[in-house]
Amino acid sequence: MSSDGKLIIFDTTLRDGEQSPGASMTKEEKVRIAKALERMRVDIIEAGFPIASRGDFESVQAVAEAVKDSTVCGLARALEKDISRAGEALKMANSSRIHTFIATSPIHMQMKLRMQPDQVLEQAVAAVKMARQFTDNVEFSPEDAGRSETDFLCRIIEAVIDAGATTINIPDTVGYNLPSQFGGLIKTLIERIPNSDKAIFSVHCHNDLGMAVANSLAAVQNGARQVECTINGLGERAGNAALEEIVMAVRTRQDLFSCDTTLDTTQIMPCSRLVSSITGFPVQPNKAIVGANAFAHESGIHQDGVLKNRETYEIMRAQDVGWSENRIVLGKHSGRNALKSRLETLGIELATEEELNETFSRFKDLADKKHEIFDEDLQALVTETNWTAENEVLKLISLKVCSETGEVPEASVVVSFNGKEHSVTAQGSGPVDAAYKSIEQVVQSEAELQLYSVNNITSGTDSQGEVTVRLSKSGRIVNGQGADTDIVIASAKAYVNALNKIMVGMEDRAHPQLGDV
Ligand code: KIV
Ligand code: ZN
């Protein structure tokens, strides 16, 4: 590695990732993900947009308190109120960064901001100076840089570096660029801006044309030394550049890069599973690095080659990204301490004895049905326990389904809703449909079911099925998950989980890229 050989990884799963419709996370879930990112040795964790709502502020504050080894960052528009709110939320962080931004493309300046370029430049400089009063680690992004004029970008970047910005992040906000063009832009900026050596150049690419990772890598080859990315490529619209793909591309192709990350790549899989289980965004089987098939050799020719010499068809080792072969961790006879210690290894600290008791009792129920309990089962268990403990207005007490060839499926459900127990029965086109119809009889949510999917958490017919449902109501979208060895019960749990999320009075949240709050 040369002297500029460190590639900084800036993870924005908790901020841009959370902007995916339905991916909103609770404060506790964000802290769990942040701790997993810290374990992976991510350099910077963008924890949220503190001005967006009280919940967002408290989440950034909680992450800032929980994380010790990574820098914690808060997003702020180039506005005084945003910056002071971010500064306040990050007060307790060991190491903090404020990330401030303003749009610089002609279309954003004219249509969204209704500002002249000189006014934008002035506001950017003022924002960076103000952010420097809270921390000497300040990042500036010219939003929609991918469609901005290069001359104006050079002017505004030079000015914000003079004002104290230490990282300059170039976003391809709408995923419009192609690799050669985006790499060229980074090269030009670094060469033309006289004080470019005083800042780290970073990139933030969206995946609208499927180029987010390719654009980020082209930027790194042209001098960028920070990449902003998310676990599983989660993010607004088509998502952001996937962290696991960036990190493994750079690590695997060291012949083409003069830099590398310092991440512990064995934490990639646990992190990917955690984010998927918390957000309810499943990972497609053929997804690079973290998809179920990423290291599976289906065809006979490939299997033969791999058995003779792994490198005939494998460019990476599965275990280097955290796919482990021996994953049975606990069983029916494991005790409370064994569970506690395994959870700690996974970075899950249960806050109270009650939480441990509740998790242990769920663990015992699961172990009665399923002999081998894997890390993935434990993650799903904790996700469920956390949600149940915090926010439940609707609770599934029991479910019985009748499904027989030639008969109409029927479900009888007992739920508690706002503290009152209800027993209802309904018929449906299948057992899941019947269960959902009976729950609806009680709740009458009128939410629209947008997505229903089932995945097995581990392999084998005794595996737990993890069900994700997406509901939409009055413009709000939520994802709900449920896991059980019985997929009809898992489906009912997922529906109840989503309904709880819809019903919990969510505060209005400002979107960072849509006008003023
Ligand atoms: O995509 C984008 O431009 C952003 C900025 C806030 C950096 O997310
Ligand atoms: Zn973005």
Side-chain angles (χ1 to χ4, degrees):
M1 251 195 263
S2 63
S3 57
D4 66 341
K6 158 106 171 159
L7 178 61
I8 297 167
I9 293 296
F10 175 114
D11 180 279
T12 182
T13 307
L14 301 178
R15 199 278 298 171
D16 218 326
E18 205 202 18
Q19 287 171 215
S20 311
S24 60
M25 305 165 220
T26 64
K27 181 171 81 180
E28 287 69 20
E29 288 168 342
K30 287 186 180 175
V31 170
R32 255 172 92 199
I33 293 177
K35 297 286 286 175
L37 294 170
E38 181 184 34
R39 238 183 352 271
M40 188 157 58
R41 298 199 217 113
V42 158
D43 301 287
I44 297 141
I45 299 171
E46 188 164 54
F49 177 45
I51 193 90
S53 69
R54 195 164 51 83
D56 285 59
F57 176 85
E58 287 171 2
S59 297
V60 175
Q61 211 172 31
V63 171
E65 277 175 31
V67 166
K68 296 287 165 257
D69 298 333
S70 310
T71 296
V72 180
C73 175
L75 183 70
R77 289 164 304 177
L79 296 172
E80 203 175 319
K81 61 181 175 181
D82 283 37
I83 294 166
S84 57
R85 198 76 176 135
E88 176 72 22
L90 293 166
K91 238 188 202 154
M92 298 304 288
N94 246 4
S95 161
S96 67
R97 170 180 292 189
I98 293 179
H99 174 192
T100 186
F101 73 99
I102 190 164
T104 52
S105 62
I107 183 168
H108 275 228
M109 290 192 289
Q110 281 159 26
M111 302 296 176
K112 183 173 94 170
L113 300 176
R114 300 189 192 285
M115 284 168 77
Q116 294 300 318
D118 282 345
Q119 294 174 298
V120 168
L121 188 145
E122 210 176 289
Q123 193 167 319
V125 167
V128 168
K129 284 189 178 156
M130 185 178 176
R132 282 295 300 238
Q133 292 170 14
F134 292 92
T135 168
D136 55 13
N137 190 341
V138 174
E139 173 171 326
F140 173 76
S141 292
E143 189 195 359
D144 203 16
R147 292 188 299 169
S148 300
E149 284 165 6
T150 307
D151 286 350
F152 182 55
L153 280 180
C154 288
R155 215 152 61 79
I156 193 167
I157 293 171
E158 182 181 352
V160 293
I161 294 176
D162 277 343
T166 44
T167 298
I168 299 298
N169 177 50
I170 307 299
D172 182 17
T173 302
V174 290
Y176 179 67
N177 281 232
L178 297 188
S180 56
Q181 175 192 16
F182 197 63
L185 173 65
I186 301 303
K187 188 169 190 293
T188 304
L189 294 176
I190 293 175
E191 278 173 6
R192 275 188 48 191
I193 297 169
N195 55 1
S196 66
D197 60 321
K198 305 269 182 318
I200 301 273
F201 276 70
S202 163
V203 287
H204 174 114
C205 297
H206 280 270
N207 208 27
D208 300 68
L209 292 174
M211 301 287 166
V213 169
N215 284 342
S216 306
L217 295 175
V220 173
Q221 287 183 314
N222 283 282
R225 284 296 173 267
Q226 174 179 291
V227 174
E228 302 200 352
C229 43
T230 57
I231 301 292
N232 301 337
L234 199 68
E236 187 97 56
R237 304 182 310 278
N240 289 61
L243 176 145
E244 60 279 4
E245 294 178 25
I246 301 280
V247 170
M248 290 317 291
V250 171
R251 180 81 39 104
T252 307
R253 295 308 308 270
Q254 275 293 290
D255 53 328
L256 298 178
F257 290 95
S258 57
C259 57
D260 198 0
T261 72
T262 47
L263 259 61
D264 174 1
T265 59
T266 62
Q267 294 299 320
I268 285 178
M269 270 315 297
C271 229
S272 161
R273 286 209 190 92
L274 180 64
V275 169
S276 168
S277 132
I278 284 179
T279 59
F281 277 61
V283 174
Q284 78 203 48
N286 57 332
K287 163 87 179 58
I289 320 290
V290 293
N293 291 351
F295 291 89
H297 294 278
E298 192 68 46
S299 92
I301 293 177
H302 286 205
Q303 283 178 4
D304 180 54
V306 169
L307 288 176
K308 285 178 180 142
N309 179 338
R310 192 185 55 80
E311 285 174 18
T312 49
Y313 286 99
E314 269 188 18
I315 57 165
M316 295 167 277
R317 294 186 326 158
Q319 57 268 44
D320 289 347
V321 295
W323 285 97
S324 54
E325 272 138 39
N326 180 14
R327 293 179 303 133
I328 303 168
V329 290
L330 295 172
K332 194 176 162 69
H333 301 295
S334 309
R336 242 162 136 270
N337 281 343
L339 173 70
K340 188 165 180 245
S341 121
R342 190 64 210 166
L343 290 174
E344 278 165 10
T345 311
L346 291 174
I348 301 168
E349 287 151 28
L350 297 175
T352 60
E353 272 303 287
E354 276 150 18
E355 260 186 67
L356 177 61
N357 292 342
E358 171 68 21
T359 310
F360 186 59
S361 129
R362 284 170 188 260
F363 163 75
K364 280 290 179 191
D365 288 347
L366 179 62
D368 276 341
K369 295 187 244 166
K370 185 174 188 288
H371 298 309
E372 299 162 340
I373 309 279
F374 300 91
D375 285 342
E376 296 85 331
D377 293 313
L378 295 180
Q379 294 280 19
L381 208 76
V382 173
T383 303
E384 197 171 294
T385 312
N386 277 353
W387 238 98
T388 316
E390 283 166 41
N391 303 295
E392 228 173 25
V393 263
L394 176 69
K395 190 171 156 85
L396 179 70
I397 296 174
S398 68
L399 166 65
K400 185 175 154 198
V401 286
C402 246
S403 180
E404 196 180 336
T405 34
E407 297 294 329
V408 181
E410 190 172 276
S412 302
V413 171
V414 181
V415 289
S416 137
F417 184 39
N418 288 327
K420 190 163 170 248
E421 218 166 280
H422 302 259
S423 304
V424 274
T425 298
Q427 293 187 328
S429 59
V432 173
D433 188 45
Y436 283 18
K437 284 193 170 126
S438 49
I439 295 170
E440 262 310 304
Q441 276 185 34
V442 178
V443 179
Q444 299 188 356
S445 74
E446 288 167 17
E448 185 198 337
L449 180 68
Q450 292 194 329
L451 174 136
Y452 168 83
S453 82
V454 192
N455 287 291
N456 52 343
I457 292 187
T458 52
S459 55
T461 49
D462 74 338
S463 157
Q464 290 198 85
E466 187 167 52
V467 175
T468 301
V469 298
R470 182 171 305 157
L471 296 182
S472 134
K473 188 176 176 189
S474 316
R476 265 191 65 211
I477 298 175
V478 297
N479 281 347
Q481 295 103 265
D484 202 281
T485 47
D486 179 323
I487 57 165
V488 183
I489 295 177
S491 304
K493 283 183 181 174
Y495 195 54
V496 164
N497 180 234
L499 286 172
N500 273 314
K501 288 185 181 175
I502 281 268
M503 289 181 297
V504 168
M506 287 282 221
E507 313 163 89
D508 279 345
R509 300 172 70 198
H511 186 293
Q513 286 152 282
L514 288 179
D516 202 345
V517 191

